[in-house]
Structure formats: structure tokens, C-alpha cells
Amino acid sequence: MQLPLTTLLVYAGAAIAEIAGCFAFWAWLRNGQSIWWLAPGMASLALFAWLLTLAPAEQAGRAYAAYGGIYIVASLFWLWLAEGRRPDLWDLAGGGLAFVAAAIILFAPRSA
């Protein structure tokens, strides 16, 4: 099993790659940016998929479930840093709960 810090870095990298890739599509379709935004967006989504395969879980479903919590926290950072909207108290509370839930899914002792 990977160390918690290594695991967090894998998930954080995957989240950044997924959010950046999806944002490229958002920028093209919703913000009127050039279609050329899609090329790095698709590369970013491919990086996301590869990084998620490095998650330390025996089953893909468990890796994806734990990733969901990290994705929520990363999305709140994106909201703040890339979009200029500071998360409110409810965003932070929900993000904190999601992070704790992800840690439980990943690091709880398993019986078999």
C-alpha cells in the first residue's frame, strides 16, 4: 500500500488534470474560446485517466469512490484560484466531509 502522502499526490494530480481538461471544454462551449482549447483539454483528460490507475486500491470502484472526495476539494480550489470565487462556509464544510469520507474509503482496515 502506498503512503497517504503519495496517495494524496496521485489523487490531487488526477483531480487537477480532470478539472483542467473539463474546463477546456467549458471554455470552448460556454466562454466562446477557440476550438484549439480542446487539444490540451483532451491530453489533460488522458493524463487524468492514467493517474487514476496509480491509485492504491485493489478495485477500480473503490479508487473512483475515494477519488470523488479529493475531486470535490480540488474543485473548490479551482473555484477560488482559477475562477476568482472564494468558497463559502458551506463549500468548505462539504469539502471537508468529502475529504474525510475519501480517507475512510482508502485507509480503513479491510478484512479481506
Side-chain angles (χ1 to χ4, degrees):
M1 174 148 230
Q2 291 180 338
L3 298 174
L5 180 59
T6 303
T7 300
L8 182 60
L9 290 174
V10 165
Y11 278 115
I16 291 166
E18 183 181 15
I19 293 166
C22 290
F23 186 76
F25 280 81
W26 181 280
W28 171 55
L29 289 171
R30 302 275 305 259
N31 294 347
Q33 298 297 326
S34 164
I35 196 167
W36 293 107
W37 275 64
L38 298 184
M42 289 185 284
S44 187
L45 289 171
L47 176 63
F48 149 71
W50 175 76
L51 284 169
L52 204 51
T53 67
L54 303 177
E58 296 298 318
Q59 298 82 23
R62 188 167 287 140
Y64 302 158
Y67 168 71
I70 305 305
Y71 179 83
I72 290 169
V73 172
S75 296
L76 293 174
F77 276 106
W78 184 274
L79 172 70
W80 187 10
L81 299 174
E83 297 184 70
R85 297 294 304 254
R86 195 168 190 178
D88 64 20
L89 178 62
W90 297 108
D91 293 327
L92 297 175
L97 287 172
F99 188 81
V100 169
I104 291 169
I105 291 168
L106 273 178
F107 301 117
R110 307 267 181 226
S111 59

